[in-house]
Amino acid sequence: MKTGLEKAGRVQRYWRTKDLLMAGLLGVVFAIVIIGVNYVYMLATSLLGPIYSRILIGFYMLPGLIALYLIRKPVAGLLAETVAGLVMIPFTSYAG
């Protein structure tokens, strides 16, 4: 169902401050979740092997997918994933 703005052809395609802050917030929140999942992933890999630990791979895609669903702008997923990755750098064991 189309909203009033879509019927009139005036869909807002530009980024508002609210959209940027929401993408950043989703990136930070999901980065905290993924940091915990990262340690569970390492434990599952060492105990069960790499095949069973692949179940947890979907958590790494959540920031981008949720941001695309909620914000509905083309680059929202990339922005949320980038923020999540930057927040996770000091807390993961992969940073060298």
Side-chain angles (χ1 to χ4, degrees), residues 61-91:
M61 292 185 272
L62 278 179
L65 294 175
I66 297 294
L68 283 172
Y69 180 74
L70 292 178
I71 300 171
R72 299 188 188 265
K73 303 274 183 187
V75 189
L78 180 65
L79 180 62
E81 287 281 353
T82 304
V83 170
L86 290 174
V87 169
M88 287 189 305
I89 287 173
F91 301 107

Side-chain angles (χ1 to χ4, degrees), residues 5-25:
L5 289 175
E6 290 173 341
K7 288 179 185 175
R10 296 178 303 193
V11 179
Q12 293 182 353
R13 298 196 186 272
Y14 57 89
W15 280 80
R16 297 176 293 184
T17 306
K18 179 174 77 170
D19 298 330
L20 292 170
L21 289 175
M22 186 68 175
L25 176 71

Side-chain angles (χ1 to χ4, degrees), residues 5-72:
L5 289 175
E6 290 173 341
K7 288 179 185 175
R10 296 178 303 193
V11 179
Q12 293 182 353
R13 298 196 186 272
Y14 57 89
W15 280 80
R16 297 176 293 184
T17 306
K18 179 174 77 170
D19 298 330
L20 292 170
L21 289 175
M22 186 68 175
L25 176 71
L26 286 170
V28 170
V29 168
F30 278 106
I32 294 168
V33 171
I34 291 173
I35 288 168
V37 170
N38 193 23
Y39 290 110
V40 173
Y41 176 80
M42 288 187 290
L43 181 67
T45 302
S46 63
L47 293 178
L48 302 173
I51 294 175
Y52 295 109
S53 64
R54 299 296 181 230
I55 296 169
L56 298 172
I57 291 293
F59 282 100
Y60 293 99
M61 292 185 272
L62 278 179
L65 294 175
I66 297 294
L68 283 172
Y69 180 74
L70 292 178
I71 300 171
R72 299 188 188 265

